[in-house]
Amino acid sequence: MCACPKLLVVDDEIVICQACRRVFTRQGFEVEECTDARDGLARACQNDYAAILLDIKMPELDGIEFLESLRQKKPEIPVMIMTGYPSIPNAAAVVRLGASDYVTKPFTPEEITLSVQRMLAHRDPDFPLPAESALSKSLRGTAEEAFLFMDESWVQLETDGSARTGAVLVQPPYTTVEEVRLPEVGDVVYQGLPMAAVTVAARSPVMIPAPVSGVVVAANGLLSCEPSALLSEPCGKGWIACVCTTRVEEELDRCRSREVLLVNADPRSALEQSQKLQALGCEVHVVTEEEALVPATLESGCRLAVVDADTLAERGPQWVARINHAAPSLKVVVTASSAAAGWETAYRQQRIFYYSVEPFADGEMVAVLDAVFRPRPPASPPHAEPHVPAEPLGRIQITNRNGHKIRLLASPGLLSRHEGLGRDLLQHLANRSFPIVTTPGDAKIDPENVLKAAGGCHRVMVLLAGETGRLPGSLVRDTKAEYVTAAGESAGRVTTLVVQPEANRGRMACFDRRTTAALVEHIVQEMASY
């Protein structure tokens, strides 16, 4: 197999061809596009491709006829059908002709990525998927790319679209990790929604959000037998999962590097501290000489300066004063041993963020980094108004920027106008100035009503709470659910979104603010982008 596997996309809609190219070229595939079915069939018969992505409805030669002709020449090549009309007769025909899978238009990058990966792995379990650099480097322990953080979660990106992910968690000293729940290979994860969970000291599991969206290609099995590595080596052997990213260009603006200016007059001590900071995902700029202090402060772009009191001795407070003068917004943390405690008063007379004794020894530096780099959510305003009774919402409809009417149908008990997901969803839509029509009360969700709704708008989204085997707050987008297939010719207009509720709860008003905000963002993006 060539170093850069080739995909052939055959679809008379140029926008579909271009979407496939964007998704798969960044994953390391070479993508050929063809909007003419006959030309595409000739290419498919003459050239070697890892797989073919084929539209089922095309003029002159439809996908079923294409597949019949192709199977006479190449019976084994994997073919994925792309269709807006997943009817039973068509499904039976493409299965009979050996299609490996199908996706319903409009599909997401995650759906088509998962389908292609699954198709190629089924053909050959050892097929070298391009987007596996992060996995191979994780197994060899040679990943060197910069760490980018979204809150406590981090990501290391490869040029082939793969990414290694993990988290640097703030926990009390001597915490015992009891269990790490990992994602499974093939899971689709979305930025900001739960990717993994860690249970410590018999407390409730702590959710770890995914820093990027994509398809999980590997999970770190070491954490199942050695869960403590998540805390002891969070950016090393304690990594969580490798992901084939799908939306990295749009999502990277929410991820930031943790750049630290390390001020330490002793090169040997500076190297030791630098390695400890790097092990926590920091990009470190070291200053050991006074003449380099101000230029480094101005040029490094750091948000944090770590000043070592022991090696600077009496010069330390003066160096801090120079840092404050050169970069007033830079946060200064002073580290010291118990022997250097006499300098604490002089340092506190300067503007410092924190003074810490031996922060590397007891894990306190993790909490310091979290306090500096992790944005804090705004405090909730006090509610002076009396409690408002819950008002269930069964339907939310908007007209998006493309002039399309999008209708969200929620199963009973999921959305409320004045609390949780329903309240925040309405506020987010209003902030984007979409015309909104709501229907109070619980909606009846069945194939008949979904089909009726699909006939009166451009797109229907069915929101359900259901057992998916995933972490609470996880989102599963299902275009093959009963509501979709029952819609017949309107199936391309229907999408089912299933959210994993908390254990023993069917409502979704109980998620933490961060998970609720991420759910709202993904739902609104679905509604706005069609």
Side-chain angles (χ1 to χ4, degrees):
M1 183 63 64
C2 62
C4 190
K6 294 169 63 176
L7 300 178
L8 175 64
V9 182
V10 184
D11 196 305
D12 60 316
E13 295 182 79
I14 186 63
V15 66
I16 297 295
C17 292
Q18 292 172 342
C20 292
R21 175 180 288 276
R22 283 195 301 271
V23 170
F24 291 110
T25 53
R26 64 191 177 194
Q27 295 177 16
F29 287 94
E30 180 182 339
V31 180
E32 288 189 18
E33 307 169 29
C34 190
T35 56
D36 182 278
R38 295 190 185 281
D39 180 32
L41 178 59
R43 294 195 203 182
C45 293
Q46 294 169 7
N47 303 325
D48 290 327
Y49 298 98
I52 297 173
L53 283 58
L54 177 65
D55 185 22
I56 203 169
K57 288 279 190 179
M58 293 181 289
E60 298 184 2
L61 184 71
D62 69 21
I64 294 178
E65 294 172 319
F66 183 112
L67 199 50
E68 287 176 335
S69 299
L70 178 66
R71 285 299 176 232
Q72 296 175 14
K73 296 285 186 69
K74 293 191 174 181
E76 301 298 329
I77 186 170
V79 177
M80 184 190 71
I81 297 297
M82 302 181 291
T83 177
Y85 310 96
S87 66
I88 297 301
N90 281 346
V94 297
V95 169
R96 174 175 54 82
L97 292 169
S100 303
D101 199 2
Y102 75 89
V103 295
T104 302
K105 300 177 184 177
F107 47 76
T108 66
E110 293 78 27
E111 286 173 328
I112 196 166
T113 294
L114 179 59
S115 182
V116 168
Q117 289 193 346
R118 188 165 50 211
M119 181 169 60
L120 295 178
H122 179 74
R123 180 191 185 190
D124 179 3
D126 298 321
F127 183 86
L129 290 172
E132 290 187 341
S133 294
L135 173 59
S136 61
K137 290 186 178 181
S138 294
L139 297 176
R140 297 196 308 267
T142 58
E144 297 178 352
E145 287 70 21
F147 291 88
L148 300 175
F149 282 81
M150 190 200 76
D151 296 342
E152 71 271 35
S153 300
W154 57 259
V155 58
Q156 278 185 305
L157 295 169
E158 292 286 342
T159 56
D160 66 359
S162 63
R164 194 171 71 125
T165 63
V168 178
L169 303 177
V170 178
Q171 295 293 337
Y174 314 114
T175 293
T176 299
V177 180
E178 297 181 350
E179 180 185 12
V180 179
R181 182 174 172 183
L182 299 167
E184 295 184 3
V185 173
D187 281 354
V188 173
V189 294
Y190 294 99
Q191 187 182 53
L193 293 178
M195 173 179 66
V198 56
T199 303
V200 297
R203 290 181 291 179
S204 298
V206 175
M207 299 297 163
I208 300 173
V212 289
S213 300
V215 178
V216 176
V217 297
N220 186 5
L222 173 72
L223 293 178
S224 298
C225 56
E226 193 180 333
S228 60
L230 182 65
L231 299 185
S232 62
E233 298 184 54
C235 297
K237 68 178 185 178
W239 60 276
I240 292 174
C242 291
V243 175
C244 180
T245 62
T246 51
R247 304 170 188 245
V248 69
E249 290 87 352
E250 307 98 283
E251 295 177 340
L252 270 189
D253 61 347
R254 298 175 192 167
C255 300
R256 298 284 185 273
S257 60
R258 292 185 170 183
E259 297 194 51
V260 176
L261 184 69
L262 176 61
V263 183
N264 186 315
D266 178 61
R268 180 174 297 180
S269 173
L271 176 61
E272 181 181 345
Q273 290 183 343
S274 177
Q275 291 172 339
K276 291 178 178 178
L277 288 167
Q278 289 169 348
L280 297 176
C282 296
E283 185 175 335
V284 184
H285 305 263
V286 179
V287 174
T288 58
E289 303 292 339
E290 185 173 6
E291 58 268 21
L293 180 64
V294 172
T297 300
L298 295 173
E299 297 169 6
S300 65
C302 297
R303 293 173 54 189
L304 170 66
V306 174
V307 177
D308 184 74
D310 288 74
T311 61
L312 295 178
E314 70 276 0
R315 299 172 295 169
Q318 297 175 354
W319 285 35
V320 170
R322 296 188 65 189
I323 293 172
N324 286 333
H325 180 74
S329 63
L330 187 65
K331 290 181 170 62
V332 178
V333 171
V334 179
T335 67
S337 67
S338 55
W343 295 107
E344 181 174 356
T345 300
Y347 275 109
R348 293 194 180 278
Q349 291 174 351
Q350 306 300 325
R351 187 175 65 251
I352 64 172
F353 180 73
Y354 195 63
Y355 186 96
S356 179
V357 177
E358 302 287 359
F360 293 104
D362 59 6
E364 187 181 14
M365 184 54 72
V366 174
V368 171
L369 294 171
D370 189 77
V372 171
F373 290 106
R374 183 174 173 180
R376 292 297 180 262
S380 300
H383 294 283
E385 70 273 8
H387 176 71
V388 179
E391 179 184 337
L393 282 176
R395 184 181 76 176
I396 300 174
Q397 180 171 303
I398 68 166
T399 302
N400 65 19
R401 296 285 185 266
N402 300 317
H404 293 159
K405 291 183 179 180
I406 313 298
R407 186 173 300 175
L408 176 70
L409 302 178
S411 60
L414 295 190
L415 299 183
S416 173
R417 183 182 298 275
H418 301 297
E419 65 176 347
L421 186 63
R423 176 198 60 203
D424 293 355
L425 184 57
L426 288 176
Q427 184 62 56
H428 202 96
L429 291 169
N431 289 344
R432 296 186 63 169
S433 301
F434 291 126
I436 306 171
V437 178
T438 62
T439 301
D442 289 328
K444 183 179 180 181
I445 306 295
D446 59 27
E448 181 180 353
N449 284 332
V450 172
L451 177 59
K452 182 179 178 180
C457 59
H458 294 90
R459 191 176 186 190
V460 175
M461 297 170 56
V462 182
L463 182 65
L464 306 171
E467 180 55 52
T468 62
R470 305 282 294 277
L471 293 167
S474 297
L475 181 68
V476 176
R477 187 178 187 273
D478 188 357
T479 58
K480 300 177 183 177
E482 59 173 317
Y483 305 115
V484 179
T485 55
E489 291 294 306
S490 299
R493 301 181 185 179
V494 181
T495 297
T496 301
L497 300 177
V498 185
V499 181
Q500 175 69 46
E502 293 277 3
N504 302 319
R505 301 184 187 182
R507 295 177 61 82
M508 290 190 285
C510 52
F511 294 130
D512 62 83
R513 290 181 59 186
R514 182 170 64 177
T515 299
T516 298
L519 279 171
V520 166
E521 187 163 341
H522 286 291
I523 293 171
V524 169
Q525 181 61 26
E526 284 265 358
M527 299 178 77
S529 61
Y530 183 78

